[in-house]
Amino acid sequence: MKFDRRISVLLMHAVLTQVVTFVLRPATTYRALELDVPASWLGVLSGSFALVPLVLALPAGHIVDRLGERRVMIAGGALLCASGACFLLLGDSVLGLVAGNVLLGTGHLCSVIGQQALVANMTSSARLDAAFGYYTFAASLGQAAGPLMIVVFGGAQAIPDTTPIFWGATALAAALLVCSFGITSGTPSSGSAPKGSPGVRELLRLPGLIPALCTSCVVLAAVDLSLVYLPALGAEREIASGVVGGLLGLRAVASMVSRFFLGRSTRLLGRRRLLVLSLTASAVGLALTAAPVPIWALAVAVLVAGLGLGVGQPLTMSWLAESAPPGLRGRAMSLRLTGNRAGQVVLPGAVGLVASGVGAAGVLLATAIGLASTAFLARSLPLDGASAENEPR
């Protein structure tokens, strides 16, 4: 993947989007704790980020295909700026925090859909896996850097002063908005879809599309569950919080490594084989974390799980980009995001119910079983050689 100016601006846009999002979300929780908000409202705050994007994802993909990626990404940057301003001006009330979270989730949605459609439209079919690997690597870098701003602006308090955090995030959102104006839309096909071209229903009829969407949402839900239940597992086994934080960082770094080398790995193994192997590795890794193993073995298990979990998202992105006809890639990416958001809402609760009474280890084991089942189903996915003959007509 040749890093020209367009790609550099896109990757910077991806990093800034995730930094702003991943500093404002925990900062919102801290502000809610400052306000003595009941625990039940924390769930409302978290849900307000994902609920609106769940409803707007498909329309946003349609807008990307009609108006181009640049305009939608500019709108996303403006919404993220508005979110920061809302937290600063109205963040002393629960309703203000909810409103800021809604703006944050919508701005994040517009930015991410524009970014993914742009990667799809500006990259040749032969380079899609590498391109989405680098893109998700940049996104992971932003997700890792975002929480560090809390350390920089928040000091060492258990509940930091959130006002400097909100100011810093708003400044970065303004930089993101400026960066958005430097974006160049992908190809002429990123404009309006040709008259009579297929829509979402026809996209859903692509061979293997629904299983691929399910694979994507299971992997994302597994990442979310590991973020929540690894600390819970550490508390149950009296593992120091610093060790658990190191394990979570190790998982994130492992995923970044697998994404950085995704293009080479795909050329070596093929998409389908790589996806099956990565899902199997993540299942084995999470199953081992549930076992009563020493810390060094736990670190190895988390490393293996992280390497596997880093592959599923970019591989399904590149396959969707190759399978969707020109002019519909924004909608294809929005379908994937819709499935991911639904999975983030439904799967963690379902796994928690199945594993209730057996603790964090039971949740991680149930997640591993889900990943293993997905790996079994992925053996029949037509991920290799997705091309024009698979496109809807």
Side-chain angles (χ1 to χ4, degrees):
M1 184 177 178
K2 184 180 178 181
F3 283 90
D4 59 18
R5 176 187 168 278
R6 289 195 306 169
I7 294 172
S8 299
V9 174
L10 169 62
L11 295 180
M12 178 59 68
H13 195 280
V15 170
L16 287 173
T17 298
Q18 300 301 334
V19 169
V20 171
T21 302
F22 275 72
V23 70
L24 283 178
R25 292 198 70 188
T28 304
T29 300
Y30 282 127
R31 174 58 65 89
L33 294 173
E34 284 182 280
L35 299 175
D36 294 321
V37 170
S40 58
W41 274 93
L42 295 180
V44 174
L45 284 175
S46 178
S48 63
F49 174 85
L51 185 59
V52 173
L54 180 61
V55 175
L56 294 182
L58 287 175
H62 183 75
I63 293 171
V64 168
D65 290 330
R66 288 184 61 84
L67 301 181
E69 306 93 346
R70 181 175 182 268
R71 294 181 182 179
V72 175
M73 291 166 74
I74 290 173
L79 285 166
L80 290 174
C81 288
S83 173
C86 187
F87 286 129
L88 285 169
L89 298 175
L90 305 175
D92 291 330
S93 68
V94 174
L95 290 179
L97 293 178
V98 170
N101 246 4
V102 169
L103 289 170
L104 179 63
T106 309
H108 179 265
L109 170 77
C110 292
S111 299
V112 167
I113 285 184
Q115 291 161 8
Q116 293 178 10
L118 183 58
V119 173
N121 283 321
M122 69 190 291
T123 309
S124 65
S125 177
R127 302 294 296 166
L128 279 172
D129 295 315
F132 277 108
Y134 290 131
Y135 165 70
T136 52
F137 174 88
S140 296
L141 184 62
Q143 291 170 10
L148 295 179
M149 283 187 60
I150 295 176
V151 178
V152 173
F153 290 100
Q157 305 98 313
I159 299 179
D161 181 5
T162 50
T163 299
I165 299 174
F166 287 150
W167 274 113
T170 304
L172 285 178
L176 171 68
L177 180 58
V178 172
C179 183
S180 302
F181 285 96
I183 294 291
T184 304
S185 289
T187 65
S189 65
S190 64
S192 300
K195 187 175 180 180
S197 64
V200 171
R201 289 184 180 180
E202 288 75 12
L203 282 174
L204 286 171
R205 294 183 187 132
L206 278 171
L209 182 94
I210 292 178
L213 295 179
C214 291
T215 298
S216 179
C217 81
V218 167
V219 170
L220 186 60
V223 172
D224 282 357
L225 286 164
S226 68
L227 289 174
V228 172
Y229 284 100
L230 270 176
L233 183 74
E236 290 177 4
R237 298 180 180 175
E238 298 183 351
I239 299 172
S241 60
V243 174
V244 174
L247 291 173
L248 290 173
L250 180 63
R251 185 210 61 78
V253 170
S255 292
M256 291 170 67
V257 169
S258 64
R259 288 172 170 180
F260 188 82
F261 294 104
L262 184 65
R264 298 178 188 177
S265 301
T266 305
R267 287 193 295 273
L268 181 65
L269 298 172
R271 282 183 190 154
R272 181 167 53 232
R273 183 179 299 172
L274 178 61
L275 182 62
V276 171
L277 287 174
S278 68
L279 289 169
T280 303
S282 58
V284 171
L286 284 181
L288 285 175
T289 63
V293 295
I295 297 297
W296 68 265
L298 191 60
V300 172
V302 169
L303 176 66
V304 171
L307 288 170
L309 289 172
V311 171
Q313 298 294 321
L315 265 190
T316 52
M317 284 183 201
S318 61
W319 180 77
L320 273 174
E322 191 175 35
S323 299
L328 285 176
R329 286 168 179 158
R331 271 165 275 193
M333 295 303 161
S334 69
L335 268 178
R336 180 186 159 277
L337 285 172
T338 301
N340 284 353
R341 289 289 182 264
Q344 284 179 297
V345 172
V346 174
L347 290 180
V351 169
L353 286 175
V354 170
S356 61
V358 291
V363 174
L364 292 170
L365 183 59
T367 305
I369 293 171
L371 286 166
S373 302
T374 305
F376 180 79
L377 295 175
R379 297 183 307 165
S380 61
L381 283 175
L383 296 180
D384 293 310
S387 58
E389 69 264 23
N390 290 327
E391 294 175 7
R393 285 170 167 78

